Amino acid sequence: MSRSARHGSPALERWGRHVARRAKAIVIFWLLFIVVGFAVALGATGTPSLFSRLDSGEIVVAGENQDGRDLLAQGGGSGFSTYTQTLTGVDLSDPAVASAAASAVQSLSAIEHVESAVNPFVVPGGPTTPDALRFVLDGDPASGGFATVVTFDEGNTAEQEAAATDEVDAVFDSLAEDTGATGDQRGGLRALVDRIIEQVKIDGQRGEGIALPVSFLVMVVVFGGFLAAGFPVLGAIASIAGALASLLGLSYLLDLDASVVNVVTVLGLGLCIDYGLLVVSRFREEMRALLQGAPVADATHAQVVAATAATMNRAGRTVIFSALTVAISLSGLLVLQIPFIRAVSVAGVSVVLIALAVALTLIPALCVLGARRLLKRGTETAADVGVFSRLAERVHRMPWVVIAAVSAVLVVMALPALRLELTSSGPELLPVGTPERTFYEDFRAGYPLLAGAEVLLVSRAPVSEVQAWAETAAADRPGVESVDPARELGNGVVTLGFQTGDSGTGEASRALVDSLRSDRAPFDAYVVGQASGIVDFRATVADRALWAAGLVVLATLVLLFLMTGSVVIPIKALVMNVLSLGAALGVTVWIFEDGHLEGLLRFASTGALENTIPLLVLAFGFGLSMDYEVFLLSRIVELHEQGHDTRSAVTLGLQRSGRIITSAALLMVIVFSGFAAGDLLIMKQMGVALVLAIVIDATLVRMLLVPATMSVLGSANWWAPAPLRRLHERWGITE
């Protein structure tokens, strides 16, 4: 006897009847929610918009690198509030140039909210002195180039700094004209961050602009009508509105990186389309089962209510399981002591809950209101024989061959992941040729002492002691091309810069960081730089990764056990997910780390993946893989509970869910392709990796490996120890 029979109408069935009776009110609520959500998130209500509250930059974690940066900031060396102009084609020996440059510094220093301004012509002794050569192109007065650096007050608001920047630009314009410069570039860290945030917004709008119309067209083909296709798209729009509004709220509790917005909104978009597809398809199936070929005009309101109740009891249960698996995989990231990752986790879970709410309320309510039009192509029930059942039968005939072949392919695809390298890019996140990236590349090449060293030692030791050590021992460290003179900043903070020539993230910088940390200087000091940050990031992940993975695995095993009553199926699902995600990560490394497909995907390889990509891909990919596993298993379990043996349950389950899984995967690929079409490197890597994970999982794994392994295991699929069987009989979630 089923639990439904023992305990009466299941809660989800009752919920479906409730939604059916209040469909109009639910739809009106969600339409108002969409309007309010977008208005609040975009600042149309007069409050700060979400995008005005975002930040972007290097992902930092607790550790030596961050401690050193904190000390550096105490000395006034953060560099975030500087704005720099570089001029070329100038005669530095011309007295008129010197006069114009000195006059410009006076004008810049007089601007409100500007703390200081400096160029080589105001340094005592002029542009040929050692201190001034930092501001001269290539350190050579004959090069015809020099830089003017403006530092804003640290306490400025964004509006104050923007106004001051406009006045600074006016002075820079005059300086370029008065010196007869032929080249004029300007930039700063804040400008770079603002450009990255703007690119996030552009990429997000572009991705959603591609995903929504293309997904709609695909669903028109899948459903055979505009109305049915429009329901999941309307749900996706509601999800985006809710995601943006929830992120705005979270921005007051957490520091949100700009890339978090695209990650979670696109996740919500994809999940809503997937869940909408599942719910609408099941509703049509239930209506056809009730009508048994009768004309759609004969459908009664009672039948519509009954179909909605059955849909919620079955597809609703699948959606809840799916949402829980995605939420569990994202919640595992909370264990990691990384603010950015935790923000993604919290924001991602909130968006999953919104997608779940849409699937359990708005989509079924729309189905109720459009029930008759959803069935305009006929009310005949679908055949149990088709493409997917025939595929399952072929797999059943040679399961060991399928298992061996698919497993071999996945292992080969995963091999590049063994040489995974991580990095933390700055300007490299932007496309080649972007003005902000070009400025930084040229600035670092032409003004290495001014741009900052690739690896920095920060200390409170006397500057003479640091310089003495630098002259005797520092230059012999691995990866060092040159050592900058020790500099004393404010508050007794001293820095010693190491030039490695690899922008701070390459092998030379990493080797130097390892050397400086393992063989310490004879005074207390912190090793700072992008390579140092990468070392801390990896250490932080390694310290908590097993806990995070263990919690996700345990929770997933419990959830799938409650769903299936088996301990074999959950373990098998986890093993296949590892293979699937390993393959996706391996191909991602082959593309982005090795530089393949640069022209096709429009990116320039940095020789590594951004350090957050593996974590995000594994978390999101695991959740989405389990999403399709739940879609398939829910049908197989349902059929098995109805008395089908394992082979026929798998065959019929694949036939009845294969079209949904394939369509859902295609739609999710379209959604995440919006990332790949963007220009921001980290988003492109994320998009490509998730597209690969979805394609691999929905084809090789769900269509081939799952039926093959279940065919081999037979009745053993449903095995569980006696105590667990009794536990499932009492607490299991079944029909």
Side-chain angles (χ1 to χ4, degrees):
M1 181 182 294
S2 71
R3 290 173 61 86
S4 300
R6 291 197 306 267
H7 302 293
S9 180
L12 282 174
E13 186 176 306
R14 295 194 298 273
W15 174 253
R17 295 182 186 278
H18 176 81
V19 170
R21 293 182 181 120
R22 292 165 178 78
K24 287 184 180 179
I26 290 171
V27 172
I28 291 171
F29 167 81
W30 278 106
L31 291 176
L32 292 173
F33 179 88
I34 291 171
V35 173
V36 173
F38 278 120
V40 170
L42 300 179
T45 59
T47 56
S49 72
L50 169 62
F51 290 97
S52 70
R53 297 187 55 77
L54 300 178
D55 196 4
S56 187
E58 184 181 1
I59 308 299
V60 296
V61 298
E64 179 171 344
N65 185 64
Q66 186 57 40
D67 292 341
R69 288 188 172 215
D70 292 341
L71 181 58
L72 188 62
Q74 293 176 26
S78 67
F80 190 80
S81 295
T82 61
Y83 184 51
T84 301
Q85 178 190 47
T86 60
L87 298 177
T88 54
V90 177
D91 183 358
L92 272 66
S93 63
D94 187 345
V97 170
S99 175
S103 176
V105 168
Q106 291 181 340
S107 299
L108 292 167
S109 300
I111 295 173
E112 188 177 8
H113 306 303
V114 169
E115 180 182 300
S116 64
V118 63
N119 62 34
F121 297 97
V122 298
V123 174
T128 59
T129 62
D131 285 344
L133 288 178
R134 295 190 302 123
F135 298 89
V136 176
L137 179 62
D138 297 328
D140 180 8
S143 65
F146 72 94
T148 301
V149 180
V150 172
T151 302
F152 296 107
D153 294 334
E154 286 287 346
N156 287 343
T157 64
E159 292 75 15
Q160 289 171 335
E161 190 158 314
T165 301
D166 290 339
E167 294 186 56
V168 169
D169 276 327
V171 177
F172 280 171
D173 289 341
S174 299
L175 179 58
E177 182 178 351
D178 294 343
T179 58
T182 58
D184 179 358
Q185 289 183 294
R186 303 170 196 184
L189 185 55
R190 190 178 298 277
L192 177 66
V193 169
D194 289 344
R195 182 68 183 86
I196 292 174
I197 292 174
E198 180 64 21
Q199 193 63 54
V200 166
K201 188 174 181 180
I202 292 170
D203 286 355
Q205 292 171 342
R206 179 190 299 165
E208 289 159 10
I210 292 171
L212 283 174
V214 176
S215 296
F216 177 72
L217 292 175
V218 170
M219 282 188 289
V220 168
V221 175
V222 172
F223 286 122
F226 286 93
L227 185 69
F231 290 172
V233 170
L234 182 60
I237 293 171
S239 173
I240 294 172
L244 293 177
S246 67
L247 285 172
L248 176 61
L250 287 172
S251 72
Y252 288 92
L253 303 174
L254 303 167
D255 292 329
L256 289 185
D257 188 271
S259 57
V260 173
V261 176
N262 277 0
V263 170
V264 298
T265 54
V266 172
L267 174 67
L269 173 65
L271 286 178
C272 253
I273 290 177
D274 271 9
Y275 296 162
L277 177 68
L278 180 66
V279 172
V280 173
S281 297
R282 190 65 188 241
F283 178 82
R284 293 172 82 174
E285 183 180 328
E286 295 296 338
M287 282 295 296
R288 284 172 175 153
L290 288 171
L291 290 171
Q292 291 292 319
V296 68
D298 293 348
T300 65
H301 181 67
Q303 287 176 318
V304 172
V305 172
T308 308
T311 298
M312 286 293 93
N313 187 40
R314 291 161 183 162
R317 183 176 64 148
T318 301
V319 167
I320 291 173
F321 268 110
S322 171
L324 284 174
T325 59
V326 177
I328 286 169
S329 66
L330 293 176
S331 298
L333 297 176
L334 285 171
V335 177
L336 303 176
Q337 300 291 323
I338 304 171
F340 169 82
I341 296 297
R342 285 185 161 187
V344 170
S345 176
V346 174
V349 170
S350 70
V351 171
V352 171
L353 294 178
I354 292 170
L356 176 61
V358 168
L360 296 181
T361 57
L362 177 59
I363 302 300
L366 289 170
C367 289
V368 170
L369 297 180
R372 290 173 177 81
R373 294 188 62 187
L374 286 175
L375 298 171
K376 67 180 182 179
R377 298 189 67 179
T379 58
E380 296 78 12
T381 56
D384 284 335
V385 177
V387 173
F388 295 102
S389 64
R390 287 192 287 269
L391 174 63
E393 289 296 343
R394 291 192 182 98
V395 171
H396 288 320
R397 287 197 290 268
M398 48 180 183
W400 285 111
V401 174
V402 172
I403 292 171
V406 173
S407 299
V409 169
L410 293 176
V411 168
V412 170
M413 294 171 73
L415 288 177
L418 297 176
R419 47 184 170 79
L420 170 67
E421 288 288 346
L422 300 179
T423 190
S424 178
S425 300
E428 297 83 7
L429 291 175
L430 295 170
V432 174
T434 304
E436 291 78 8
R437 175 172 177 169
T438 300
F439 172 80
Y440 262 90
E441 290 173 340
D442 293 346
F443 187 56
R444 180 171 288 281
Y447 302 87
L449 296 181
L450 197 57
E454 281 88 0
V455 177
L456 198 65
L457 213 63
V458 185
S459 176
R460 286 193 182 276
V463 65
S464 57
E465 182 181 350
V466 175
Q467 183 61 40
W469 177 76
E471 292 172 354
T472 58
D476 295 332
R477 298 283 178 152
V480 176
E481 288 189 353
S482 63
V483 182
D484 302 338
R487 293 181 58 213
E488 185 169 6
L489 307 178
N491 296 318
V493 177
V494 175
T495 63
L496 180 67
F498 295 83
Q499 302 293 340
T500 60
D502 63 1
S503 300
T505 59
E507 292 183 7
S509 292
R510 297 179 192 219
L512 177 56
V513 168
D514 290 340
S515 173
L516 291 172
R517 287 190 173 196
S518 60
D519 183 11
R520 294 281 180 177
F523 46 84
D524 291 336
Y526 299 100
V527 182
V528 173
Q530 286 176 287
S532 180
I534 293 169
V535 171
D536 287 344
F537 185 93
R538 296 178 71 168
T540 299
V541 172
D543 184 51
R544 295 294 187 99
L546 288 178
W547 283 103
L551 288 174
V552 170
V553 166
L554 178 61
T556 303
L557 288 173
V558 170
L559 191 64
L560 289 181
F561 169 74
L562 291 176
M563 178 183 177
T564 64
S566 164
V567 296
V568 175
I569 290 175
I571 293 172
K572 178 174 63 67
L574 288 171
V575 171
M576 287 189 290
N577 269 12
V578 170
L579 284 173
S580 177
L581 291 175
L585 190 59
V587 177
T588 303
V589 168
W590 180 82
I591 292 172
F592 288 100
E593 189 172 312
D594 299 345
H596 296 101
L597 308 182
E598 282 184 314
L600 178 63
L601 294 175
R602 298 183 298 110
F603 74 95
S605 175
T606 59
L609 295 187
E610 295 302 310
N611 53 18
T612 57
I613 291 297
L615 288 177
L616 296 180
V617 169
L618 292 175
F620 281 79
F622 182 87
L624 294 173
S625 295
M626 281 299 177
D627 188 35
Y628 300 129
E629 178 79 2
V630 168
F631 279 19
L632 179 56
L633 280 180
S634 63
R635 277 293 192 164
I636 295 173
V637 171
E638 180 184 331
L639 290 162
H640 188 260
E641 288 175 350
Q642 293 172 1
H644 290 271
D645 62 27
T646 300
R647 178 165 178 158
S648 72
V650 170
T651 302
L652 285 175
L654 191 59
Q655 174 61 26
R656 294 180 182 179
S657 64
R659 178 169 166 270
I660 298 298
I661 292 173
T662 303
S663 300
L666 176 59
L667 292 168
M668 195 69 89
V669 165
I670 292 169
V671 169
F672 283 114
S673 292
F675 279 172
D679 290 328
L680 206 64
L681 181 61
I682 188 171
M683 292 293 98
K684 192 181 290 288
Q685 290 181 353
M686 181 78 170
V688 170
L690 289 177
V691 165
L692 288 167
I694 292 165
V695 170
I696 291 169
D697 191 84
T699 55
L700 295 177
V701 176
R702 296 308 142 210
M703 297 295 109
L704 297 174
L705 202 53
V706 169
T709 53
M710 293 194 80
S711 177
V712 167
L713 291 170
S715 59
N717 282 288
W718 313 102
W719 179 84
L724 289 181
R725 284 201 303 272
R726 290 192 293 271
L727 182 68
H728 183 263
E729 288 174 0
R730 182 173 182 182
W731 300 106
I733 306 172
T734 61
E735 286 290 326

